Amino acid sequence: KAGVTQTPRYLIKTRGQQVTLSCSPISGHRSVSWYQQTPGQGLQFLFEYFSETQRNKGNFPGRFSGRQFSNSRSEMNVSTLELGDSALYLCASSFRAVQETQYFGPGTRLLVL
Amino acid sequence: QKEVEQDPGPLSVPEGAIVSLNCTYSNSAFQYFMWYRQYSRKGPELLMYTYSSGNKEDGRFTAQVDKSSKYISLFIRDSQPSDSATYLCAMTYTQGGSEKLVFGKGTKLTVNP
C-alpha cells in the first residue's frame, strides 16, 4: 500500500505571497490532518478533514485554510505569508479518527524569505 | 503552563543502554496516549498507543502511563544506533464533541555505537 505523499517537498516563498500544499492519503483513509512543525513550538495541529468536511481545527489564524476532495486528497493554503510561517508542514491520514493510528507523510519544508 | 511538557534533550547514550523518555501533562481529560518516532527528514511514525494506566510492552519498547501523576514514559531496552531519532509523546481528549490532539516538543535521542 502506498504511503502518504506530499507535494512539493521543498518550497521557497517571499513574505506576502500565498502557497498551496498538497497531500494524498493512504488509499481508503478518509481522515486527513495537517500539522506545522517548528523547532520552537514543536508539532502543532492545524486542522483535520473527514469526508470533505473540516472536523477539527487548531489555534491558527484564518490565513491557514484547507480543503478535502471527494477522493480524500487534501490541500492546505496559507495566504499572506509571514517569516514565522517557515516550517515543516506535515500531513497525516487515518481511517476514521484522530486517535487512531495516523500515518504521516514526509512533509513539505516551507521557507519564507 | 503548556498542556504537554517534554524534555527536549538532547539525550546521548551508549549502545545497549536503557533509555527513559518522559512527558508530563496538565489536562486530566487526556484519554489516549501515544509515542511517535521521527527520523531526520521524515514524518513521525507511531510506536506505541495506549489508553489506560499501566505498562504496555512491544519488543524492546515499553510505554507506561500514570494517570494519577499525569505522567507518561517510554522505555527502550538494549538501545541500538538505529533508535537514534526524535521521540514525540502525544495525547488526545474530546472537547465539544471533537477530538483534540496535542504533541510534546520531542526529545532528540542519539545512541552511540
Side-chain angles (χ1 to χ4, degrees):
Chain A
K1 207 184 242 188
V4 178
T5 58
Q6 291 187 246
T7 57
R9 291 293 310 277
Y10 302 93
L11 207 49
I12 299 176
K13 291 284 187 180
T14 56
R15 277 183 302 173
Q17 287 188 308
Q18 74 162 14
V19 67
T20 299
L21 312 181
S22 182
C23 171
S24 292
I26 290 173
S27 178
H29 284 188
R30 295 165 65 189
S31 169
V32 174
S33 298
W34 287 91
Y35 298 86
Q36 181 195 67
Q37 188 174 35
T38 59
Q41 297 300 318
L43 199 62
Q44 293 185 285
F45 174 71
L46 279 155
F47 29 66
E48 182 219 359
Y49 285 86
F50 182 84
S51 293
E52 301 178 67
T53 302
Q54 188 180 87
R55 190 162 66 169
N56 284 304
K57 189 176 186 308
N59 298 321
F60 277 80
R63 300 186 296 107
F64 292 82
S65 62
R67 59 177 175 167
Q68 186 180 33
F69 302 95
S70 58
N71 60 359
S72 292
R73 190 177 71 84
S74 178
E75 286 182 348
M76 191 193 90
N77 185 74
V78 189
S79 62
T80 319
L81 283 167
E82 300 177 359
L83 295 179
D85 296 334
S86 294
L88 179 68
Y89 290 89
L90 290 157
C91 161
S93 76
S94 61
F95 184 59
R96 287 177 306 184
V98 171
Q99 78 263 22
E100 288 185 349
T101 300
Q102 288 192 86
Y103 295 87
F104 281 82
T108 294
R109 189 162 294 280
L110 172 65
L111 177 61
V112 181
L113 301 175
Chain B
Q1 182 190 12
K2 279 208 163 277
E3 282 190 291
V4 179
E5 299 277 2
Q6 183 176 9
D7 187 338
L11 188 59
S12 182
V13 302
E15 185 176 351
I18 295 175
V19 176
S20 172
L21 304 166
N22 311 296
C23 286
T24 58
Y25 61 95
S26 56
N27 189 345
S28 57
F30 283 125
Q31 298 171 296
Y32 296 90
F33 304 89
M34 292 150 277
W35 285 96
Y36 284 82
R37 177 175 61 195
Q38 186 174 20
Y39 290 115
S40 180
R41 303 199 201 305
K42 295 280 178 83
E45 58 175 325
L46 183 67
L47 272 179
M48 304 282 287
Y49 169 96
T50 185
Y51 60 89
S52 58
S53 282
N55 293 349
K56 182 177 181 179
E57 195 173 313
D58 184 2
R60 296 185 294 111
F61 297 89
T62 300
Q64 185 177 78
V65 174
D66 183 345
K67 288 188 176 181
S68 61
S69 301
K70 298 191 181 68
Y71 188 88
I72 69 170
S73 299
L74 177 71
F75 298 97
I76 307 174
R77 289 188 302 280
D78 187 26
S79 56
Q80 303 294 310
S82 59
D83 295 329
S84 298
T86 296
Y87 290 81
L88 303 114
C89 63
M91 41 199 87
T92 71
Y93 66 99
T94 302
Q95 182 182 60
S98 65
E99 293 166 41
K100 305 293 182 185
L101 174 62
V102 182
F103 281 85
K105 286 192 178 181
T107 299
K108 186 171 183 180
L109 170 68
T110 301
V111 181
N112 301 300

